[in-house]
Structure formats: structure tokens, C-alpha cells
Amino acid sequence: MPYRSPLLDLPGPIAAPDGHPEEGVPWHWGDPFAEQRTAARGAVVIDRSHREILAVTGEERLSWLHLVISQHVTGLAEGTGTEALVLDSQGRVDTHMVVAHADGTVWLDSDRGAVASSALPSGGKQPLREYLEAMKFWSKVDIRDVSGELALLTVLGPDADRVLSAVDVSLGSDAYSVIPIPGGFARRMPWPGRNSVDLAVPRADLAAWWRRLTDAGARPAGSWAFDALRVESLRPRLGIDTDDRTIPHEVNWVDSAAHVAKGCYRGQETVAKVHNVGRPPRYMALLHLDGSPEITPETGDPVVVGERTVGRVGSVVQHHELGPIALALVKRSTRPGAELLVGAEDRVVQAAIDPDSVPGEAPAPGREAAQRLRS
């Protein structure tokens, strides 16, 4: 059965269209642009209860996870978190996770339907939990899918801490700070926007937490507001802003989710090689779309310069200040100022790359070292 949040039964929410990535949770609550403005200037609460959550426990939870995910976590202290990936053997992204460590448990939350490439000779994709179970061997860990027990809410905006204080949640100011709360955990995130806190609450208490947060002053907002600020923040969503060739460097997941120096995880050779001596073939750009025609491109549509296809469209949103914007993976040679056409069939529009979204061309550390040796 497709997921359907119980909050959709409250007065006011508009569900996302069928087939939308946010299907099953409120898309907006009647005024998506006002919700975005409040998220930028006040505080909103967003239902993200369609995310999947795994709980990893056991005395070897950190040392074992260190071997199977892309992030350095052997020293991940309780009360902290991070982001991480599972890569295939070629370094391409299978799954993106946000991590929280609290109460002897490492929590891994991901988009619905998270998968990983099987390590078996037969290959193919398998659910993330099945992949992790297959990689346990004799490690002293236990992996549980707690998606049916916990549901995620996000409080977003500069007034988020005031709202959270009213419901007795007080977090440190550092990004990825984590504290236990009754039945779950709270985690501070560095995106989207200026201040964001995820609350993993007992699923049975989802509506009660929603009422507490809205009574404390958080405006109900939908996934549209979250995505608009996510796109503005240049944060990708797996399967929307990535394809089956994406490596972490192309979508700003190196450092935040992939460690370039630690070894022993699948795909590490690609991560280290591209960081040290190469350049990723593509980068993720923020596109400003021509808003004069009442059409927008769709995820997967081509990005074209002249007669050449130079990329693909990812997330497309209507932003309360920037108008229609999108993330796109484009060839590294595509520079700001290029005259782009974006879309397919009857939804082609002009677009321009936001120059602030173009990554700098810093020399690769390995190339610099080799040049010093030669000189």
C-alpha cells in the first residue's frame, strides 16, 4: 500500500500529485509561497514522515558502519551526527543517508525506497537494510527497520529554536548536534535554509507532536517549501538530482557525506582518485528558468547549448523570491553565460546558470604534489 500520512486527514493540507516524489505527505497547506516566506523569516513545521529510518545497535556499531558507508564514523560521539553514502564498486551513489548517534543507537534515515548494489556476484539492487544485513558477517551489530515506529518532522526557520524551546527540545548550536527526546531523537541540520531541526518522534504520536509545534508558533508547511529551500541551498535529492552515473563530487557530497582519506569502503578508490588527481565530469548547477511562459521542464529533461546536450534537469521548483529554479547536472565545460535551453517537447524554456553555484577550479592536491616533485 502506498504511504499516506495521517496529517493529510487534518483540515487544510493539499496532497502532492500522484507519482510525485513527495506523494503521501502534505505538499502545501493552501499558500506555498507564504509558507516559504515564513520558513525564511519565522518558523514552519514540515511533515517528512515518508522517510525510512534504520536503527543500528550493538557494541561494534561504529567500527562496522565505518567499513560499509562512505563517512568516517569510528569516532562519531554520542550526541553528534553526519551524512553518509553507500556507493557501488565504481564509486557511483546508491544511497544518501543522514546519521544521528544517540542512546547507544546510530539512526540512519533516507528517502523512501533506499537501495544499494548487491555485493553478490549476481549483482542488482536490493533494499538498503538487506544490503547492510548481508555485510554484517560476524560483527556484533543489530539492524532494525524502525520506519513503522518513528516519523520525521522538520522545524525550519530562524525562529525554530524558540518553537522547540516551547516543547522542551533544546539542541546545541553545532550542525548535526543530536539529543534524545521521548521515544526518538532531535538533530540540528545545516540545511535547508538558515536553521533546520529534524525530530524523529513516535509514529503513534505524530499528530500530537504536530499540534504541539503548531501551538508553539510553527506554521504548517508542505514539502514544496522544504524543496524550494533545499534547491536554493544547492542540496541534491537522490534519484531526482542524481542519475545512475553520479559520483559524490558532482553533487557536493564530498566532505559532507564522503570522506576522501579513509579507506576500506566500497567505491573509495573513485572518491580518492577524483579528489586527488582528477576532476568530476559534471557539476550541479542552480538554473534560473525563464518564467514568462507558463511551462516548466521536468526531472530528466535535457539541458542544451546550441545543438549539444550538456546535462539533465533535476529538481524543479517555484521559489517565493527567485521564481522558477532548478538543479541540473551539467558537463564541466558548461560555464555561466551559456545560452541554455531546458526541457523537452512543449516545455522548453530558456535558462541561465547562477554563477555562485559553479564550483571553483582549485588545483587537485595530487596534481599539485606531483608538480612539486617534478620541479
Side-chain angles (χ1 to χ4, degrees), residues 6 85 106 109 115 154 221 233 242 248 268 271 274 287 297 339 351 358 367:
L85 309 171
V106 178
D109 62 279
V115 297
T154 295
S233 301
T242 66
Q268 180 268 343
V271 171
V274 174
L287 303 184
E339 296 183 1
V358 179
R367 288 180 183 272

Side-chain angles (χ1 to χ4, degrees), residues 86-104:
V86 174
L87 307 176
D88 71 9
S89 59
Q90 304 301 312
R92 296 169 297 210
V93 179
D94 275 341
T95 288
H96 172 262
M97 301 166 288
V98 190
V99 182
H101 189 194
D103 268 353

Side-chain angles (χ1 to χ4, degrees), residues 316-348:
V316 181
V317 294
Q318 294 281 347
H319 189 277
H320 71 106
E321 288 182 335
L322 302 177
I325 56 175
L327 294 177
L329 273 177
V330 297
K331 290 182 179 179
R332 191 155 202 85
S333 59
T334 310
R335 310 313 297 168
E339 296 183 1
L340 306 181
L341 290 177
V342 179
E345 299 172 354
D346 59 353
R347 54 179 184 272
V348 177

Side-chain angles (χ1 to χ4, degrees), residues 79 161 164 169-179 186-189 195-197:
D161 286 334
L164 292 168
V169 175
S170 180
L171 270 167
S173 59
D174 291 342
Y176 307 108
S177 294
V178 178
I179 59 168
R187 174 185 59 217
R188 187 177 299 281
M189 292 294 294
N195 195 16
S196 177
V197 174

Side-chain angles (χ1 to χ4, degrees), residues 22 46 48 51 82-84 96-99 109-111 152 154-157 174-176 187-198 225-238 241 251-253 256-257 327:
E22 308 296 346
I46 299 169
R48 302 175 67 217
R51 285 180 66 80
T82 185
E83 297 178 52
H96 172 262
M97 301 166 288
V98 190
V99 182
D109 62 279
S110 60
D111 283 329
L152 202 69
T154 295
V155 181
L156 177 59
D174 291 342
Y176 307 108
R187 174 185 59 217
R188 187 177 299 281
M189 292 294 294
W191 60 273
R194 289 180 287 171
N195 195 16
S196 177
V197 174
D198 292 336
F226 185 92
D227 274 343
L229 272 67
R230 173 183 63 80
V231 170
E232 181 188 13
S233 301
L234 282 177
R235 297 287 181 159
R237 179 167 179 178
L238 188 76
D241 302 300
V251 289
N252 304 331
W253 273 335
S256 66
L327 294 177

Side-chain angles (χ1 to χ4, degrees), residues 48-359:
R48 302 175 67 217
S49 60
H50 54 339
R51 285 180 66 80
E52 297 179 353
I53 306 178
L54 300 180
V56 182
T57 55
E59 61 185 90
E60 296 179 348
R61 61 190 180 277
L62 292 178
S63 58
W64 170 75
L65 270 172
H66 189 77
L67 299 175
V68 295
I69 63 177
S70 64
Q71 190 58 281
H72 198 299
V73 293
T74 52
L76 189 70
E78 294 230 6
T80 63
T82 185
E83 297 178 52
L85 309 171
V86 174
L87 307 176
D88 71 9
S89 59
Q90 304 301 312
R92 296 169 297 210
V93 179
D94 275 341
T95 288
H96 172 262
M97 301 166 288
V98 190
V99 182
H101 189 194
D103 268 353
T105 300
V106 178
W107 311 92
L108 310 173
D109 62 279
S110 60
D111 283 329
R112 177 173 44 191
V115 297
S117 299
S118 173
L120 298 175
S122 56
K125 301 288 188 181
Q126 60 186 146
L128 177 61
R129 181 171 180 264
E130 289 183 15
Y131 169 76
L132 295 176
E133 285 285 354
M135 300 300 291
K136 273 173 56 174
F137 301 107
W138 297 278
S139 299
K140 296 176 182 177
V141 296
D142 181 65
I143 307 161
R144 292 193 306 124
D145 185 344
V146 295
S147 307
E149 303 168 28
L150 291 177
L152 202 69
L153 297 172
T154 295
V155 181
L156 177 59
D159 289 343
D161 286 334
R162 176 187 57 77
V163 169
L164 292 168
S165 177
V167 297
D168 300 320
V169 175
S170 180
L171 270 167
S173 59
D174 291 342
Y176 307 108
S177 294
V178 178
I179 59 168
I181 61 175
F185 63 88
R187 174 185 59 217
R188 187 177 299 281
M189 292 294 294
W191 60 273
R194 289 180 287 171
N195 195 16
S196 177
V197 174
D198 292 336
L199 300 175
V201 303
R203 189 166 288 276
D205 298 333
L206 177 63
W209 270 96
W210 183 266
R211 285 193 298 271
R212 290 179 66 197
L213 291 165
T214 54
D215 288 347
R219 177 177 185 153
S223 59
W224 184 336
F226 185 92
D227 274 343
L229 272 67
R230 173 183 63 80
V231 170
E232 181 188 13
S233 301
L234 282 177
R235 297 287 181 159
R237 179 167 179 178
L238 188 76
I240 305 297
D241 302 300
T242 66
D243 57 20
D244 58 6
R245 298 182 292 119
T246 301
I247 60 175
H249 317 68
E250 296 177 322
V251 289
N252 304 331
W253 273 335
V254 169
D255 295 334
S256 66
H259 200 277
V260 298
K262 80 157 190 159
C264 302
Y265 66 93
R266 189 172 69 176
Q268 180 268 343
E269 182 179 0
T270 297
V271 171
K273 185 175 181 179
V274 174
H275 175 74
N276 285 301
V277 299
R279 302 233 193 278
R282 301 176 295 178
Y283 69 92
M284 186 175 65
L286 176 65
L287 303 184
H288 294 274
L289 308 177
D290 181 3
S292 54
E294 294 185 2
I295 53 174
T296 53
E298 297 179 359
T299 299
D301 280 351
V303 179
V304 176
V305 176
E307 300 296 321
R308 294 187 308 122
T309 297
V310 297
R312 70 176 290 278
V313 176
S315 299
V316 181
V317 294
Q318 294 281 347
H319 189 277
H320 71 106
E321 288 182 335
L322 302 177
I325 56 175
L327 294 177
L329 273 177
V330 297
K331 290 182 179 179
R332 191 155 202 85
S333 59
T334 310
R335 310 313 297 168
E339 296 183 1
L340 306 181
L341 290 177
V342 179
E345 299 172 354
D346 59 353
R347 54 179 184 272
V348 177
V349 298
Q350 293 180 315
I353 294 174
D354 189 317
D356 291 337
S357 70
V358 179

